[in-house]
């Protein structure tokens, strides 16, 4: 067996070991399956709760309105004139199949407004149209809202934690791998980098500020594109700085190498972030944004939650970086980028998984809270938090307090349980 | 220090014009005398708040922008001028154009209104207002034409024509000589200490012998937090009222948390693996995951009127008992109001801490020195409460540093739900009213309180663990 194969097999062994350990934990495994169920629920929300029929025959023609609405949203198709802006519930169909819950979250049932309880008499055609979890003041179906809100909650959790783990892993691994004496650059490069940093911000963001703000007002997609261009300019300018520094290497004083205390800088940054209570910071930032959107909320949660991950990976890399196998990699002549990416980080990732699982739970909680107090998340988006908020306005509407709150609780608990399971599975202390 | 920079950066980018909210002025309708007075009041207020100063010690801008732009009073105008600069890059010409527009604004509001020119005058003013806040060339030309048309429409407005001609000329000059290359030349401007940040954080009051009226602000570090935009009360007193409630509730719940969590954690650790331990662990885990704003909402729905029981008042902190009531009645009234919030405040952290305590205790009980202590013949009580507890307390005490910010964050949630006039509620109201001095002072305070929490836990560390000393 060659050396390479052996390494591969060891790796498989570790992860299959983790998998086995995780599977032993029945609660965590159940949570994982349940999360899978929630994901399916979120993906198929349009087919489960929708005012549009899944299938219908109208004026002699067969339609699949739910599927069609996807095509229309993507600009691939247009509604036929007889179905444009119609009240789907009131059409005279030849034959029709509605989704299990025949209401969209924003659908206002004018006969069942003003907080209809699930148990009381509802003005409906038949049991098929019953609002199983009641309605709110405007007659919107709570069940439908909750199903669609699953999608929002999971998206928020996953997107914001992706942002957080990207920043956290980047900064944490730089700090842990290089420490205070690992990264050496020449004096001239250091000076040029500082100087060009301002220039890069100037060309990347200041001169483009109007383009960026206009893009934000038109659509999220164009904003992301413009942001990407800005970052490209930023990186380009920084690249020029380092290119200019190359010829100066040979000059005595300015060409000398100095230590860059990466660890110190990152640690200070983390301390600053941690000293402001997260929720205060998030609320203040969200409040400054004039036009709130879900993506901004996710981004802000991501940008404020990376500290835990950064700390973990930093601590792990500080341990790992002095191990023999990294010295061996250095002796083999591998560059620091390769040693960091291929050798160091993969061995320090396991605590990050745990942090991410707990982080998703807390991100969902924060989003629910923000929409609960009505800051940041646009008012027309139905989320668990905004549904729960309605219960504050109408204390007798118990169904608005119980069901959305329970959904938040369950989702948060599931992610916490997964986090616990991962901790047990990955913790070397329990390896016996 | 850096936190102050951060909060300041946020407050500068905050939307809305504070002076406008304070004066809520009716602009540009009326005679030029009142218009002038209005403008004057506006500028005056800006000076009072120090908003006419440059923002920071230095700024990095392009050659195209002006270093005196921050003196333009109205925020909407300022933003529009920035757009002009972005488009044409020639500040002197932009400035000329703005000045001719402003001059014309006074002229047109001086014009006498009569039956022949009424509609023309109104149309003209509308067009002029749009000229101030739009930057696209198409819109500008349309509105310029509209303005011209309305002036030419009535004979009594003939005297405005030279003013309009000036606008036209300066506009043409601005558009015909664009110097957009200037946008790409960076320039650094230095302003010295007379800037908004310096005044906000350090103040412009002289250290010694400062007289009343000579300075505008003593600065954040000397305890002057500015005034609220809503009611012009000093932020300091508003915050002080709020901090008292938050601190009272947070400290009470921290004490309760530790008092309950430590015995419970120990108890559950001793009987590890038994039925009792399993039940306690499960309940703690559920409590830990329950979102407090859900529990609070449920509590209000079920216990405070509504269709169910009516045990507790749903909001407020009480205090509306007669002033001459006995201390006992007063206390009872407060307690009646605070029980539910305090419960919601406490249970999450209490569950978290108990779990940590249990974990710490379990690992300590497996240590060799515990076995030694037992084999020495010490009774179980001494072993657990003296030997094991002291060592397992260490991680729990350090958690104080992370529990305290949690409490403060929890404060926002529960103060809003139960209408307790603490820091969170104050901050929320300030955000809704866009009253930024309060928002950012609260943020600074919460950061300071968090740092105090860290300090306390460091000190506790040294108290509990004799190996640690700070020299």
């Amino acid at each position: 067996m060659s050396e390479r194969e052996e390494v591969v097999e060891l790796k498989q062994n570790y992860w299959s070991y983790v998998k086995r350990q995780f599977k032993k934990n029945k609660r965590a495994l159940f949570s994982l399956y349940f999360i899978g169920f929630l994901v399916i629920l979120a993906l198929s929300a349009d087919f489960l709760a929708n005012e549009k029929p899944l299938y219908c025959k109208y004026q002699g023609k067969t339609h699949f309105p739910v599927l069609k609405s996807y095509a229309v949203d993507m600009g691939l198709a247009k509604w036929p004139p007889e179905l444009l802006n119609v009240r789907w519930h009131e059409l005279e169909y030849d034959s029709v199949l509605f989704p299990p819950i025949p209401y969209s979250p924003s659908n206002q049932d004018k006969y069942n407004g003003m907080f209809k309880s699930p148990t009381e008499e509802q003005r409906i055609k038949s049991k098929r149209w019953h609002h199983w979890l009641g309605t709110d003041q405007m007659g919107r179906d709570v069940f439908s809202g909750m199903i669609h809100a699953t999608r929002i909650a999971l998206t928020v959790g996953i997107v914001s934690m992706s942002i957080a783990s990207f920043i956290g892993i980047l900064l944490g691994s730089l700090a842990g791998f290089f420490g205070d004496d690992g990264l050496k650059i020449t004096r001239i490069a250091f000076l040029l980098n500082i100087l060009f940093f301002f220039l890069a911000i100037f060309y990347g963001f200041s001169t483009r500020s109007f383009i960026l703000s206009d893009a934000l007002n038109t659509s999220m997609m164009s904003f992301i594109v413009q942001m990407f261009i800005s970052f490209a300019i930023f990186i380009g300018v920084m690249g020029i700085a380092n290119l200019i520094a190359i010829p100066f290497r040979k000059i005595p004083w300015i060409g000398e190498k100095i230590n860059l205390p990466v660890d110190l800088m990152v640690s200070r940054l983390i301390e600053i972030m941690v000293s402001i209570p997260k929720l205060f910071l998030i609320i203040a930032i969200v409040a400054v944004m004039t036009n709130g959107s879900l993506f901004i909320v996710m981004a802000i949660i991501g940008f404020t939650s990376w500290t835990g991950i950064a700390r973990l990976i930093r601590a792990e890399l500080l341990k790992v970086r002095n191990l023999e196998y990294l010295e061996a990699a250095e002796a083999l002549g591998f560059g620091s980028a390769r040693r960091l990416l291929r050798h160091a980080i993969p061995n320090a990732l396991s605590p990050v998984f745990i942090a991410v699982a707990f982080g998703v739970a807390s991100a969902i909680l924060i989003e629910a809270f923000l929409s609960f107090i009505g800051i940041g998340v646009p008012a027309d988006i139905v989320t668990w938090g905004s549904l729960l908020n309605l219960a504050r306005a109408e204390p007798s509407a118990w169904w608005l307090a119980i069901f959305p709150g329970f959904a938040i609780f369950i989702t948060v608990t599931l992610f916490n349980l997964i986090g616990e399971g991962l901790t047990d599975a990955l913790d070397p202390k329990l390896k016996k | 220090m850096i936190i102050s920079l951060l909060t300041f950066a946020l407050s500068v980018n905050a939307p809305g014009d504070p002076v406008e909210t304070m004066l809520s002025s009716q602009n540009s309708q009326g005679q030029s005398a009142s218009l002038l007075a209005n403008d004057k009041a506006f500028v005056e207020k800006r000076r009072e708040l120090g908003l006419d100063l440059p923002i920071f010690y230095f700024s990095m801008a392009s050659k195209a922008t002006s270093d005196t732009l921050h003196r333009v009073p109205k925020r909407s105008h300022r933003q529009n001028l920035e757009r002009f600069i972005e488009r044409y890059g020639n500040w002197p010409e932009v400035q000329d154009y703005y000045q001719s527009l402003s001059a014309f604004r006074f002229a047109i509001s001086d014009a006498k209104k009569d039956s022949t020119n009424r509609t023309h005058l109104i149309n003209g003013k509308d067009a002029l207002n749009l000229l101030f806040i739009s930057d696209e060339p198409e819109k500008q030309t349309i509105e310029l034409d509209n303005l011209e048309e309305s002036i030419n429409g009535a004979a009594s407005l003939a005297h405005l024509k030279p003013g309009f001609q000036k606008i036209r000329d300066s506009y043409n000059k601005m558009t015909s000589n664009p110097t957009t290359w200037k946008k790409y030349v960076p320039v650094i401007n230095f302003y010295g200490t007379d800037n908004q940040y310096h005044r906000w954080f350090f103040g412009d009051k002289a250290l010694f012998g400062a007289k009343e009226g000579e300075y505008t602000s003593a600065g954040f570090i000397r305890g002057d937090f500015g005034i609220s935009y809503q009611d012009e009360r000093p932020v300091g007193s508003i915050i002080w009222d709020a901090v008292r409630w938050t601190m009272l509730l947070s400290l009470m719940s921290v004490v309760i948390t530790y008092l309950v969590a430590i015995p419970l954690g120990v108890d559950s650790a001793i009987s590890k693996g038994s039925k009792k331990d399993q039940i306690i662990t499960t309940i703690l885990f559920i409590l830990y995951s329950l979102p407090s704003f859900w529990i609070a909402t449920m509590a209000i729905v079920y216990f405070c009127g509504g269709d169910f029981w009516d045990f507790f008042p749903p909001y407020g902190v009480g205090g509306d008992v007669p002033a001459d009531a006995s201390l006992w009645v007063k206390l009872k009234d407060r307690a009646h109001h605070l029980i539910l919030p305090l419960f919601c405040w406490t249970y999450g952290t209490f569950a978290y801490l108990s779990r940590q305590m249990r974990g710490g205790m379990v690992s300590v009980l497996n240590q060799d020195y515990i076995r030694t202590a037992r084999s020495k013949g010490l009774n179980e009580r001494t072993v657990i409460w003296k030997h094991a507890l002291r060592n397992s307390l260490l991680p729990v005490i350090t958690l104080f540093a992370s529990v305290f910010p949690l409490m403060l964050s929890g404060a926002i949630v529960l103060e809003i739900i139960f209408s307790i006039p603490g820091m969170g509620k104050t901050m929320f109201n300030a955000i809704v009213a866009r009253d930024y001095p309060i928002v950012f002072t609260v943020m600074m305070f919460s950061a300071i309180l968090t740092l105090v929490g860290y300090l306390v836990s460091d000190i506790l560390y040294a108290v509990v663990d004799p190996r640690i000393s700070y020299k």
Side-chain angles (χ1 to χ4, degrees):
Chain A
M1 198 190 288
S2 79
E3 209 175 321
R4 199 181 178 81
E5 276 168 346
E6 204 172 76
V7 171
V8 169
E9 199 185 84
L10 270 177
K11 206 169 162 187
Q12 276 175 346
N13 272 345
Y14 177 65
W15 286 109
S16 60
Y17 168 79
V18 168
K19 222 163 138 187
R20 264 205 318 280
Q21 285 292 323
F22 189 81
K23 274 188 180 161
K24 269 191 208 157
N25 189 334
K26 284 283 172 307
R27 282 196 303 187
L29 197 65
F30 171 75
S31 309
L32 196 63
Y33 289 142
F34 205 108
I35 294 285
F37 168 71
L38 284 183
V39 170
I40 294 170
L41 198 70
L43 287 178
S44 57
D46 285 334
F47 298 93
L48 292 174
N50 206 324
E51 59 170 333
K52 300 185 184 80
L54 291 170
Y55 151 84
C56 68
K57 203 164 181 192
Y58 180 63
Q59 295 182 347
K61 270 188 256 170
T62 311
H63 298 281
F64 295 93
V66 176
L67 281 175
K68 185 114 187 168
S69 65
Y70 281 107
V72 171
D73 283 347
M74 285 188 283
L76 296 176
K78 282 202 172 69
W79 290 110
E82 72 269 21
L83 289 177
L84 193 66
N85 294 328
V86 288
R87 291 172 177 278
W88 293 95
H89 292 172
E90 290 160 20
L91 295 181
E92 297 283 332
Y93 298 105
D94 302 331
S95 67
V96 67
L97 176 68
F98 273 105
I101 295 138
Y103 299 99
S104 288
S106 56
N107 239 191
Q108 298 180 7
D109 184 346
K110 57 185 177 218
Y111 303 111
N112 292 303
M114 294 318 287
F115 302 106
K116 276 280 170 348
S117 146
T119 48
E120 77 187 300
E121 193 71 29
Q122 295 177 352
R123 283 181 57 191
I124 40 178
K125 283 181 268 182
S126 71
K127 210 68 187 158
R128 175 79 179 81
W129 300 89
H130 191 76
H131 296 281
W132 293 105
L133 296 183
T135 65
D136 70 358
Q137 189 177 15
M138 292 184 282
R140 295 182 297 187
D141 187 69
V142 174
F143 203 172
S144 168
M146 280 186 55
I147 289 179
H148 283 262
T150 314
R151 185 184 282 182
I152 291 165
L154 291 180
T155 322
V156 168
I158 291 163
V159 171
S160 58
M161 277 332 277
S162 314
I163 297 173
S165 13
F166 178 74
I167 304 174
I169 291 178
L170 183 74
L171 291 181
S173 57
L174 285 180
F177 187 70
F178 292 113
D180 277 342
D181 49 6
L183 194 62
K184 286 186 166 53
I185 59 168
T186 56
R187 282 210 172 86
I188 181 72
F190 182 66
L191 288 175
L192 280 175
N193 266 312
I194 291 180
L195 190 68
F196 273 69
F197 177 74
F198 286 105
L199 272 183
I201 287 190
F202 176 74
Y203 285 116
F205 299 98
S206 302
T207 54
R208 292 171 54 82
S209 61
F210 286 109
I211 303 175
L212 285 172
S213 67
D214 286 347
L216 186 61
N217 287 337
T218 40
S219 79
M220 211 59 238
M221 214 40 230
S222 60
F223 177 67
I224 293 171
V225 170
Q226 294 297 341
M227 213 54 198
F228 187 75
I229 297 174
S230 278
F231 271 112
I233 295 175
F234 182 85
I235 292 166
V237 175
M238 295 305 282
I240 293 172
N242 289 309
L243 279 182
I244 294 176
I246 291 175
F248 289 97
R249 269 185 198 164
K250 298 278 181 264
I251 301 170
W253 188 77
I254 53 173
E256 264 169 48
K257 294 212 164 186
I258 49 167
N259 282 327
L260 201 61
V262 196
D263 190 25
L264 192 79
M265 296 192 292
V266 173
S267 304
R268 285 297 99 79
L269 188 62
I270 293 176
E271 274 163 29
I272 292 166
M273 294 293 293
V274 168
S275 67
I276 304 178
K278 199 162 121 190
L279 213 50
F280 277 80
L281 185 62
I282 291 177
I283 291 185
I285 300 175
V286 168
V288 167
M289 300 285 164
T290 31
N291 38 358
S293 84
L294 212 55
F295 182 79
I296 291 178
V297 171
M298 293 187 235
I300 291 171
I301 296 177
F303 278 111
T304 46
S305 330
W306 55 269
T307 47
I309 295 172
R311 274 181 166 178
L312 283 172
I313 200 148
R314 171 180 169 269
E316 202 68 17
L317 279 181
L318 281 178
K319 266 189 268 168
V320 167
R321 74 172 184 146
N322 290 326
L323 293 182
E324 284 87 352
Y325 83 97
L326 275 179
E327 273 171 33
E330 200 177 352
L332 281 171
F334 293 155
S336 50
R338 177 171 176 162
R339 272 182 290 139
L340 179 61
L341 291 176
R342 294 280 303 277
H343 301 269
I345 290 185
N347 283 300
L349 271 186
S350 48
V352 172
F353 288 121
I354 302 169
V356 167
F358 286 118
V360 170
S362 93
I364 291 174
L365 207 55
I366 290 174
E367 182 274 322
F369 170 66
L370 285 180
S371 47
F372 177 68
I373 62 174
I375 289 181
V377 184
D380 55 333
I381 295 182
V382 179
T383 68
W384 291 335
S386 71
L387 285 171
L388 189 55
N389 185 30
L390 295 173
R392 269 207 307 162
E394 181 69 27
S396 58
W398 52 267
W399 59 97
L400 282 172
I402 290 183
F403 301 122
F406 194 68
I408 300 170
F409 164 61
I410 285 288
T411 320
V412 170
T413 313
L414 290 175
F415 277 106
N416 280 342
L417 278 173
I418 291 181
E420 293 249 304
L422 278 176
T423 317
D424 291 346
L426 294 168
D427 194 349
K429 272 188 218 155
L430 296 173
K431 259 189 230 168
K432 268 168 201 163
Chain B
M1 185 77 181
I2 296 174
I3 299 166
S4 85
L5 276 178
L6 189 74
T7 50
F8 185 75
L10 276 174
S11 76
V12 168
N13 288 317
D17 195 328
V19 183
E20 247 158 49
T21 37
M22 276 171 101
L23 291 176
S24 59
S25 55
Q26 311 289 310
N27 53 347
S28 76
Q29 300 299 325
Q31 300 290 304
S32 99
S34 73
L35 186 70
L36 203 63
N38 235 332
D39 273 8
K40 254 212 171 116
F42 201 90
V43 172
E44 198 53 40
K45 200 86 219 174
R46 262 174 71 81
R47 171 143 338 119
E48 206 177 291
L49 292 172
L51 293 174
D52 59 337
L53 296 174
I55 286 167
F56 201 58
Y57 297 99
F58 60 88
S59 72
M60 189 159 134
S62 67
K63 204 168 158 49
T65 49
S66 134
D67 57 341
T68 50
L69 188 65
H70 53 83
R71 293 203 194 125
V72 174
K74 288 229 167 76
R75 192 185 176 114
S76 55
H77 293 186
R78 213 156 52 232
Q79 282 169 346
N80 200 44
L81 289 181
E82 278 172 11
R83 293 231 165 212
F84 274 129
I85 294 170
E86 161 81 9
R87 199 175 283 278
Y88 303 116
N90 45 358
W91 168 244
E93 283 81 4
V94 173
Q95 194 177 19
D96 279 349
Y97 180 54
Y98 180 68
Q99 275 164 358
S100 65
L101 276 181
S102 305
F104 192 75
R105 181 153 154 264
F106 287 115
I108 202 170
S109 44
D110 262 344
K112 293 215 169 46
K113 218 185 260 183
D114 58 42
S115 54
T116 56
N117 65 11
R118 163 167 246 144
T119 49
H120 297 293
L121 208 51
I122 291 172
N123 287 342
K125 278 181 186 167
D126 285 347
L128 187 63
N129 281 337
L130 286 170
L131 281 178
F132 269 116
I133 54 166
S134 65
D135 70 303
E136 289 102 355
E138 305 85 53
K139 262 195 195 148
Q140 286 277 327
T141 32
I142 291 172
E143 293 307 330
L144 277 173
D145 289 346
N146 282 348
L147 191 58
E148 186 166 22
E149 198 180 305
S150 47
I151 294 172
N152 291 339
S156 55
L157 295 177
H159 68 281
L160 293 173
K161 274 181 185 164
F164 178 74
Q165 201 48 49
K166 222 172 145 194
I167 294 180
R168 258 284 188 231
D169 289 345
S170 54
Y171 180 72
N172 288 337
K173 214 170 140 200
M174 178 175 77
T175 46
S176 54
N177 311 313
T179 50
T180 32
W181 57 270
K182 279 188 179 170
K183 277 194 326 193
Y184 300 105
V185 182
V187 175
I188 296 177
N189 300 312
F190 288 97
Y191 299 109
T193 55
D194 202 13
N195 62 54
Q196 284 186 39
Y197 174 75
H198 188 84
R199 190 175 278 192
W200 175 70
F201 196 65
F202 299 104
D204 57 355
K205 183 182 173 184
L207 268 182
F208 301 104
K211 283 192 209 94
E212 194 66 35
E214 273 187 354
Y215 60 92
T216 47
S217 155
F220 190 92
I221 50 168
R222 277 181 276 177
D224 181 348
F225 309 127
I227 55 169
S228 155
Y229 290 158
Q230 288 169 87
D231 49 9
E232 309 209 3
R233 271 174 68 200
V235 171
S237 78
I238 297 176
I239 300 277
W240 173 238
D241 290 344
V243 165
R244 278 187 318 183
W245 281 111
T246 306
M247 284 307 290
L248 175 77
L249 283 166
S250 295
L251 286 180
M252 267 165 84
S253 65
V254 166
V255 171
I256 295 175
T257 303
Y258 272 90
L259 280 182
V260 180
I262 292 175
L264 200 70
V266 171
D267 197 39
S268 145
I270 295 170
S271 50
K272 183 179 176 250
S274 71
K275 198 125 223 162
K276 187 170 133 202
D277 174 45
Q278 278 173 4
I279 292 171
I280 292 179
T281 325
T282 319
I283 290 178
L284 286 182
F285 187 80
I286 292 174
L287 278 183
Y288 170 64
S289 306
L290 280 174
S292 65
F293 59 94
W294 181 37
I295 294 303
T297 316
M298 294 277 279
I300 287 182
V301 168
Y302 281 97
F303 296 136
C304 307
D307 288 352
F308 302 93
W309 302 282
D310 189 2
F311 293 150
F312 299 102
Y315 43 77
V317 287
D320 44 339
V321 287
D324 54 342
S326 68
L327 187 66
W328 172 243
V329 175
K330 278 183 185 167
L331 265 181
K332 219 174 84 175
D333 174 62
R334 293 283 190 203
H336 194 205
H337 280 86
L338 291 183
I339 276 183
L340 271 189
L342 205 55
F343 171 73
C344 298
W345 214 302
T346 311
Y347 77 83
T349 33
F350 140 71
Y352 175 62
L353 266 184
S354 307
R355 284 161 54 77
Q356 296 292 331
M357 187 68 216
R358 178 181 174 275
M361 197 72 185
V362 165
S363 65
V364 166
L365 283 177
N366 286 330
Q367 300 280 333
D368 290 342
Y369 61 82
I370 296 294
R371 204 180 307 138
T372 317
R374 280 194 181 129
S375 59
K376 232 163 59 174
L378 293 177
N379 65 358
E380 193 64 19
R381 270 181 79 93
T382 330
V383 171
I384 284 165
W385 293 104
K386 210 161 165 208
H387 293 242
L389 181 65
R390 257 199 118 154
N391 285 297
S392 58
L393 265 186
L394 207 60
V396 176
I397 280 172
T398 39
L399 279 178
F400 179 78
S402 61
V403 163
F404 200 69
L406 267 182
M407 292 268 174
L408 288 180
S409 293
I412 307 186
V413 186
L414 296 166
E415 281 168 5
I416 292 170
I417 298 174
F418 289 108
S419 291
I420 295 165
M423 274 167 72
K425 176 87 177 145
T426 311
M427 174 145 165
F428 179 71
N429 288 346
I431 283 175
V432 173
R434 304 221 171 276
D435 190 351
Y436 292 103
I438 294 189
V439 175
F440 297 107
T441 314
V442 171
M443 239 171 88
M444 289 290 286
F445 259 89
S446 62
I448 293 169
L449 283 177
T450 312
L451 293 178
V452 170
Y454 285 134
L455 185 71
V456 171
S457 81
D458 273 358
I459 294 171
L460 283 176
Y461 229 158
V463 170
V464 178
D465 190 341
R467 285 170 301 183
I468 297 168
S469 66
Y470 300 102
K471 270 184 200 160

